[in-house]
Amino acid sequence: MLRPLALGDIPRTPLVQGGNSLAHRFRDAGLPTGALCAGFLVSATALFGIASFVGMALGAYLLPEEARLAAALACIAALIVLDVLAFRRRTMCPITFRRQTPKNLVFRYGNTRGALIWGLDTGLAVTTFRISAATWALIVLGLLNVAPWWQGLAYGAGFGLPIAAAILLVPPRPDREDGTSREPHWISGMLNRHRRFAQVVVLLTAVIGCVAVAGAVAV
């Protein structure tokens, strides 16, 4: 969405990749990229914060820590099963909304406001496609008051920093020999090709987390 804005009309040749292209990218796409990341961060912090405060309102913090950890262990284990099924079926997470953020937001609301709305939508975490159920695990941990309310800040930073780097810092690739442009699709294409690898990494991380929680319960 913002990658073409960052590149603008700069000739995509090796000779200009080290020139003033970086300043150009920050000038034209810095504010919209910041709006995208800020919107995501606000939504993610609100989502996980609300989960934690709902858990507190329901008295989750009054339960013994062992009981909360055991409940978290059971939920994470169930979500791991869902991720394994999704991996075997080569699909996305089956329990998030089957939708994407509308791609025409920038055209409808402008570069900065459109990017902000995009971030606010995707930052809600469960309103769009996800490759893993790990997001739901974080929500469960918040509801059980096992994870802190501010985990959304870390979640938002985990999205914002890589996406900002991909938009602003990654230099443009030169056009193909036939004159057709590689931009901006080569980045999304690369990510799609490594989707299953990402699913495996998230799955292994969830398993490690599950083992750690099991160890805490056993102690």
Side-chain angles (χ1 to χ4, degrees):
M1 180 180 68
L2 298 179
R3 178 74 173 172
L5 178 67
L7 296 179
D9 296 325
I10 298 175
R12 288 183 291 274
T13 65
L15 296 178
V16 300
Q17 288 182 12
N20 64 353
S21 58
L22 183 60
H24 182 284
R25 281 176 248 152
F26 273 91
R27 184 191 68 199
D28 286 358
L31 184 58
T33 301
L36 171 67
C37 297
F40 190 100
L41 185 66
V42 168
S43 286
T45 303
L47 172 70
F48 295 113
I50 289 172
S52 293
F53 288 119
V54 167
M56 292 179 63
L58 295 176
Y61 68 98
L62 298 175
L63 296 174
E65 183 179 12
E66 293 78 6
R68 287 184 283 136
L69 290 175
L73 178 63
C75 291
I76 294 174
L79 293 172
I80 288 175
V81 172
L82 288 178
D83 274 354
V84 170
L85 292 175
F87 181 80
R88 294 186 62 182
R89 296 173 181 173
R90 295 179 177 271
T91 61
M92 299 287 192
C93 173
I95 54 174
T96 49
F97 285 98
R98 316 299 291 176
R99 64 177 289 271
Q100 290 182 318
T101 303
K103 295 183 178 181
N104 62 351
L105 289 173
V106 167
F107 302 105
R108 292 168 59 188
Y109 301 105
N111 294 328
T112 301
R113 285 189 299 171
L116 177 63
I117 297 171
W118 186 298
L120 289 171
D121 186 4
T122 54
L124 292 174
V126 295
T127 60
T128 54
F129 286 103
R130 287 293 186 273
I131 66 170
S132 170
T135 301
W136 287 101
L138 297 178
I139 293 175
V140 168
L141 294 178
L143 287 170
L144 292 171
N145 289 166
V146 173
W149 69 267
W150 46 261
Q151 64 175 320
L153 294 173
Y155 185 87
F159 167 86
L161 294 178
I163 199 70
I167 295 171
L168 299 173
L169 300 181
V170 176
R173 284 198 168 185
D175 292 342
R176 299 182 181 89
E177 293 182 0
D178 60 3
T180 58
S181 175
R182 298 179 186 272
E183 295 289 349
H185 305 291
W186 73 271
I187 294 181
S188 57
M190 179 188 64
L191 293 175
N192 284 329
R193 288 193 298 272
H194 292 84
R195 190 186 74 187
R196 287 178 64 77
F197 173 75
Q199 286 179 299
V200 170
V201 171
V202 174
L203 184 57
L204 291 177
T205 303
V207 171
I208 294 172
C210 197
V211 172
V213 173
V217 173
V219 173

